[in-house]
């Protein structure tokens, strides 16, 4: 597994993902329509078991890491 966060973002930040070690979190949508998914890539490489309900502390940890990485990513966006 990577020893640094791997961050990916879709158009207009509607879909974002972060992989850190064996864990991957995916966030889609915004506000009340936001959906969060968490996967243990080592134990579930097909990403078939969403572990959000079973791993709330890990979800918060990865969301915080994602926000930190995203803040740096947005630094490169030009304001028109």
């Amino acid at each position: 597994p990577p020893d640094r966060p791997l961050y990916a973002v879709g158009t207009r930040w509607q879909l974002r993902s972060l992989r850190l070690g064996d864990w991957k979190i995916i966030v889609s949508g915004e506000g009340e329509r936001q959906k969060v998914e968490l996967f243990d890539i080592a134990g579930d490489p097909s990403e078939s078991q969403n572990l959000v309900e079973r791993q709330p502390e890990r979800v918060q940890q990865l969301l915080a890491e994602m926000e930190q990485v995203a803040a740096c990513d947005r630094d490169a966006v030009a304001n028109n």
Side-chain angles (χ1 to χ4, degrees):
D3 60 350
R4 63 179 179 83
L6 299 177
Y7 174 71
V9 62
T11 305
R12 299 183 189 197
W13 287 273
Q14 291 296 310
L15 179 68
R16 300 180 296 153
S17 69
L18 178 92
R19 179 171 177 189
L20 188 59
D22 290 335
W23 294 94
K24 180 178 178 183
I25 192 162
I26 302 170
V27 179
S28 57
E30 294 181 12
E32 291 182 21
R33 302 185 98 196
Q34 187 177 65
K35 180 180 179 182
V36 178
E37 299 172 277
L38 176 69
F39 302 102
D40 174 4
I41 301 297
D44 179 21
S46 63
E47 299 178 15
S48 63
Q49 295 180 348
N50 185 354
L51 301 174
V52 165
E53 298 295 324
R54 291 186 232 155
Q55 297 278 340
E57 290 177 13
R58 189 170 310 273
V59 168
Q60 292 308 312
Q61 171 198 6
L62 291 174
L63 286 174
E65 182 75 28
M66 180 183 281
E67 289 305 316
Q68 188 175 31
V69 173
C72 294
D73 185 46
R74 289 178 189 254
D75 286 348
V77 175
N79 294 321
N80 294 329

